[in-house]
Amino acid sequence: MKEERSEFSYRVYDDISELNDQDARLLKEAREVTKEAYAPYSNFRVGAVAVLENGEKVTGTNQENASFPVGICAERVLLGTVATLHPQVPIDTIALSYKSDRQENDHPISPCGMCRQALVEYETRVNKPIRLILSGQKGKVFVIETASMLLPLAFTNKELK
Ligand code: THU
């Protein structure tokens, strides 16, 4: 028997002012686009903005439903839109933010398990890591170099050959 270890590191910034201009602009857009979320049930509005390898930007927000499981997270709305509007174009970076009237919105959130799986699929599909910038409306910012770091031992298409 031997024990394997899986570790990942990420950068923590005290606030948006520590980011370079391009990352700060992307995060501002993610904070702003939370307004377009449809979240009448949770009141937790999530906004995501992707910048693609070709410089295009695409946004996504969570879209809830009276039949709760039908609702879809901002990240998966975003990935579906990117894949449809810009087929096979790699995503360079995604900024993710949220806004809720019920809390301070002052710390980063990270993608749910289902979205982590979807992010890994997109990375595999176009063969490029997706960088993540995670933050609330204010406060700390996490930067993660590769979305797949959030899903160690991921199940991927390798198993389905
Ligand atoms: N949500 C997202 O859009 N992305 C995440 O990473 C976490 C959760 C949404 C789903 C639901 O509409 C609301 O946030 C509360 O869970």
Side-chain angles (χ1 to χ4, degrees):
M1 195 280 275
K2 67 176 170 138
E3 195 167 297
E4 301 277 354
R5 179 182 289 271
S6 166
E7 284 182 350
F8 90 101
S9 64
Y10 57 102
R11 292 197 294 284
V12 180
Y13 297 87
D14 278 338
D15 66 59
I16 192 171
S17 66
E18 293 184 1
L19 300 181
N20 66 39
D21 288 351
Q22 203 189 350
D23 286 353
R25 202 171 317 120
L26 204 64
L27 175 54
K28 272 188 201 142
E29 287 170 22
R31 287 175 172 174
E32 186 72 17
V33 80
T34 56
K35 292 196 177 79
E36 307 307 334
Y38 177 66
Y41 307 106
S42 71
N43 183 43
F44 193 82
R45 295 184 294 280
V46 183
V49 183
V51 62
L52 313 186
E53 203 177 65
N54 64 9
E56 292 280 347
K57 281 186 182 165
V58 177
T59 55
T61 54
N62 55 330
Q63 301 293 319
E64 297 185 347
N65 193 285
S67 176
F68 292 175
V70 176
I72 179 164
C73 294
E75 297 92 320
R76 279 174 295 127
V77 168
L78 174 68
L79 291 173
T81 308
V82 169
T84 307
L85 295 179
H86 305 281
Q88 282 305 117
V89 180
I91 296 173
D92 189 74
T93 303
I94 294 176
L96 183 69
S97 187
Y98 67 97
K99 191 171 192 331
S100 165
D101 299 339
R102 300 188 188 141
Q103 55 163 298
E104 286 291 310
N105 311 302
D106 61 354
H107 60 277
I109 59 158
S110 64
C112 79
M114 196 182 272
C115 290
R116 291 176 193 210
Q117 184 73 26
L119 289 161
V120 169
E121 183 79 25
Y122 198 89
E123 288 187 337
T124 312
R125 185 171 167 178
V126 300
N127 196 25
K128 179 168 173 170
I130 299 174
R131 217 168 132 254
L132 298 175
I133 300 173
L134 311 175
S135 188
Q137 292 294 318
K138 57 185 177 183
K140 287 198 182 344
V141 182
F142 295 169
V143 177
I144 299 172
E145 284 307 318
T146 310
S148 55
M149 286 169 135
L150 292 176
L151 198 61
L153 301 180
F155 181 81
T156 68
N157 61 2
K158 282 203 303 287
E159 315 303 335
L160 302 176
K161 294 273 154 71

